[in-house]
Amino acid sequence: QDDPDFAGIPLSTLQLLKIPFGMFAGSSFDALMDQPALVAVIILYIIVTSVFLTNMLIAQLNCSYRECYQDMVGFARLNRGKIVTETMPSVSKKRWDSFVAALRLDERVEFGEGD
């Protein structure tokens, strides 16, 4: 191929890096139309990089969503704990003792086969 933009590996790599980011000059694309093999390789490269960058964006959004969800669950637990601690003073001692007795926490529990 005779294109001066793609003369040598370092210059070709630089030009290929410019293409997905929109920094490659439009006039250079017009000059590439004379060389169909180079155009085919560049089109394949554009497709591969577009798919790769899209997948990277999806992965980044997925990780960001996971972090937000964990924060949301943590805040929900904190709010539930706050509600419990605010409600406890309004429960009478007699009612609390009857609740704890109903749980029968001092009795041993027979574990089943899958436990």
Side-chain angles (χ1 to χ4, degrees):
Q1 61 87 22
D2 300 327
D3 194 329
D5 287 336
F6 292 91
I9 294 175
L11 195 55
S12 297
T13 304
L14 179 63
Q15 298 307 321
L16 287 175
L17 285 174
K18 286 181 178 181
I19 290 173
F21 298 114
M23 297 169 56
F24 194 69
S27 60
S28 298
F29 271 119
D30 293 337
L32 290 177
M33 293 303 153
D34 298 336
Q35 302 170 14
L38 187 58
V39 170
V41 170
I42 289 176
I43 289 174
L44 181 67
Y45 174 76
I46 291 171
I47 292 170
V48 169
T49 56
S50 297
V51 169
F52 175 74
L53 291 174
T54 304
N55 284 337
M56 290 292 288
L57 176 65
I58 291 169
Q60 185 70 26
L61 291 174
N62 188 16
C63 290
S64 177
Y65 174 78
R66 187 179 312 135
E67 290 297 320
C68 288
Y69 179 77
Q70 288 174 351
D71 286 344
M72 181 181 66
V73 169
F75 287 132
R77 286 182 180 155
L78 285 174
N79 283 335
R80 276 185 249 138
K82 179 182 169 191
I83 291 169
V84 169
T85 56
E86 289 174 351
T87 307
M88 284 304 294
S90 66
V91 177
S92 68
K93 175 94 170 118
K94 179 181 174 187
R95 189 166 183 183
W96 178 254
D97 290 338
S98 67
F99 170 71
V100 171
L103 292 176
R104 294 181 283 166
L105 295 175
D106 55 344
E107 295 178 15
R108 290 182 172 241
V109 178
E110 191 71 36
F111 287 110
E113 197 172 302
D115 294 338

